[in-house]
Amino acid sequence: GTIQGSVAPLKMSMNNAPNVFLDPNANRFQVNIINEDHDNTETAQEDVGSDPPHYEETSFTDETHNRLRISYRPGKRELYDNFRQNGEKTEASLHPYDTHSKMYYLQTFGHNTMDPVPKIDYYRNTGSVSGNKLNRPSLLEIHEQLAKVSEKERHNFSLFHFQTVNSEEENKTGFVKFGWVKGVLVRCMLNIWGVMLFIRLSWIVGQAGIGLGVIIILLATMVTSITGLSTSAIATNGFVRGGGAYYLISRSLGPEFGGSIGLIFAFANAVAVAMYVVGFAETVVELLKESDTLMVDESNDIRIIGTITVVCLLGISVAGMEWEAKAQVILLIVLLVAIVNFFIGTVIPTNTEKKARGFFNYQASIFAENFGPDFRSGEGFFSVFAIFFPAATGILAGANISGDLKDPQSAIPQGTMLAILITTIAYIAVAISSCVVRDATGNVNDTIVPGMSCNGSSACGLGYDFSRCASQPCDYGLMNNFQVMSMVSGFGPLITAGIFSATLSSALASLVSAPKVFQALCKDNVYKGLEFFAKGYGKNNEPIRGYVLTFAIAMAFILIAELNTIAPIISNFFLASYALINFSCFHASYAKSPGWRPAFRYYNMWVSLFGALLCCGVMFVINWWAALITYAIELFLYIYVTYKKPEVNWGSSTQALYFVNALDSALALTTVEDHVKNFRPQCLALTGAPMVRPALLDITHAFTKNNGLCICCEVYTGPRKLCVKEMNSGMEKKQAWLTKNKRKAFYAAVAADSFRDGVKSLLQASGLGRMKPNTLVIGFKKDWRSAPATQVENYVGIIHDAFDFELGVIIIRISQGFDISQVLQVQGIFPSIWLPKATYCLTYQTSFHIFFFLITESTINTIQSMHVGEFNQRLLEASTQFKKKQGKGTIDIWWLFDDGGLTILIPYILTIRKKWKNCKLRIFTGGKVNRIEEEKLVMASLLSKFRIKFADINIICDINIKPNKESWKFFEEMIEPYRLHESCKDMPTAEKLKRETPWKITDAELEAFKEKSYRQVRLNELLQEHSRAANLIVLSLPVARKGAVSDYLYMAWLEILSKNLPPVLMVRGNHKNVLTFYS
């Protein structure tokens, strides 16, 4: 009724059927079929005109139908009937279409649209077993004009959009799926109720008393209940596949925790099979001893019976889950009958023999006497708790077969929590129903003598004298007889049957759990060598290979028969998995990920954390050395998986917490003002695709790794739609390349109208808070003389822009250049997806060529014939020169102008890197010829205050003299093509040339900056003289005044300054201090 009341009357129209209307007086919702095939418009109108439309209305509140009806035209009924049989719960999401190339869409809320209605199939994982994944129309398909979407795309959309999951077919495939009772409740109850219930609980009550005994039971239950709540929360936070505890932990905390716990959990279950089977075999051997029919001797009989039992259990398991489930139900019935048999026995009037053994039915005096503790033989509260606790484990038996449950999300919480409740009540009831005294002789003649003092003994008050048990051992009573439950019960053999049932059911549950968990672990390929065990067989994907492995492990431990040693380790393995499940629940809640939305609400993150700590504490209580062994194994496996880094992404809470911590740290940084002591170069490197210019990335990475931010940037220009598509398709792959090559850098790309606009966007918007670039790193544009004027203008323009935005600039030049894309293309290393399409989208790279290839076979062959020789070899060697360890040599710093200290800081950072540590710093600076020694001392004093070690200081006195004629002639010849020569022409011609070629160098400009030009040419002569053999030259970058120095003159300065030299870094800081001598 709420929907009907809130939906306003809707008026709907159809493009191709103008006669269709909706009665405005009725609050109804109607869906009409729309023909959007533009080629068949006339036909569609004829159809509508010839056949009057037939209407069928359905109110949302119509309880008799409770479904949305689709109105159809006569002649189309068969089409809809086909869709109505598809087994979906609602037909509101169905989109009928015919096969005659006509496209139909639902008209929703009056709009003729391709927009799909919400549907679960769009959210499935690829390869989902519960249904096919459908692809919704892309944003492009509904954003672009409809005419632009090709017929093929629309046909593909129709195929995806109208696929439906036929659940009836899925049911026919033969999957055996269990409900919460058979799948979880039965399994958990059987696994929790073990032999402890029948042969140890009476002893525990004898030692701890009823009061502390109940506390021990409740403490153990508290651990399992908290773990059950955590398990329920994780299991209801999305679809649960097979793998039980491993799946829950790995999907929540990631493969490192999941992989380490999964392996030891599967192993623990495999060894637990041996433990339970030996428990069963021991009981059988006891019976054989009583009747004196031992086959060989006790230990070998245990091995023989154990082997036969495991083979039988394996046969039941391999036969299939359905057989195993039936066996479990039968065993549960036997177990329940045995427990009921005990309670019936407590109310059946006792006889003389039983009285002599200490059983007197319900007596207040016995209850009072047994209520307090009476620890003997060195036992204490925690040692008794350690013995009882394994009886409370087994709560994950249902979760471990999560892949075989119909609805794990509801079955696991329901079944697990109810199993814990029922088993706890049973344990407490048995503890309270202890109608047996602690010590009894078993001698029917030990009755009291008249006049004897009882000293508060309840047995004495009931007519029996068991006082001699204080001085000599007795065989009966809670403290001495493990078979108390058999004695008390109505029919003793039923208790033996209960012991058989408890041991066999637990063994069977473990025998099924271990392979299922191990198979899930192997499928995820967390451990590379275990894929062999991932294969499943039959309709239920049974892990036959896992069963055989589990059988082998169980057999090995049965034959070893030293289970008393291994038992505490197994208990600790289970507890470790409980601890991690609790921690997973806490961690997922703490990470505050929007994806953490468990349907089960009855949990608390702090209670889960308490549960995790409690589990860790209990591990040490049970056995401290076993706890240490468990932690050591888990740590080893965790480190192994972390080192191997399996290629999986499960959206774990660990990832969510990384994000939260990163966000908190970034926000915390914004509240602290920058301090010069904490300055670090944060570089925006214009590398283009990072694999195309590895050397530029390597040298930048050398002074930013573990020290500052490095962002590799690429600018796409061209038609926006195509560039954005190119950019988006390559984004993840290029970041992945950086990660794979261990480059601690980010990749960023922008699509812009021009290269300079793109770089402007990057300069302004890159980074986050305080983690913003403060230095622009670019490669030198080698081809500036042959490139179009607009490219040169762009190149120089971005240097001006960087200075405008107060960033430092580093221009790097190496002899071979940085771009190795041709080599990569020839070698087939550079995938075509990373290449911009030649006809559409151009990518500007750092050397600022327009980077595009029209790839054809003949082009590649030509490139190979031209370049496979020495050019390619030299280029490749140059591209790896900064990856290699630099030998003994020097880094020459020409610190000519004070820019705040960036020119000296960059080389210093390089020298603290492993690859550059053998290089010494040599400082070159300008000075006066008559003050050389004083200038040296001043510079040495400055550097020592900055705590920067140096090998030598050179004061250059002749920077400002004129360069030699040959050098100057070379410079003039270089700039000749770009000169205007306006002084040789008349005024109108000169003005016209200025307007037509504003980028050319005027005579006035050349004259105005003649001294500066001389200096650049002279500096190159000095560099050739002093630094020709240096490993690296770091040089103050000259700054060109905006509007005064033309682009080509500035490029000529940079060219002549860095020509014919080792690798050169031309550096200019933003003239703010980056060094300080204050502490």
Side-chain angles (χ1 to χ4, degrees), residues 602-621:
Y602 307 104
Y603 74 95
N604 179 279
M605 60 186 277
W606 300 111
V607 171
S608 293
L609 179 62
F610 173 70
L613 296 172
L614 201 59
C615 288
C616 294
V618 170
M619 286 171 73
F620 280 98
V621 166

Side-chain angles (χ1 to χ4, degrees), residues 980 982 987-1000 1002 1004:
L980 194 65
E982 80 278 12
M987 187 69 73
T989 310
E991 288 299 323
K992 185 184 175 188
L993 282 171
K994 273 186 184 178
R995 283 195 303 274
E996 288 173 356
T997 54
W999 45 268
K1000 284 204 170 182
T1002 62

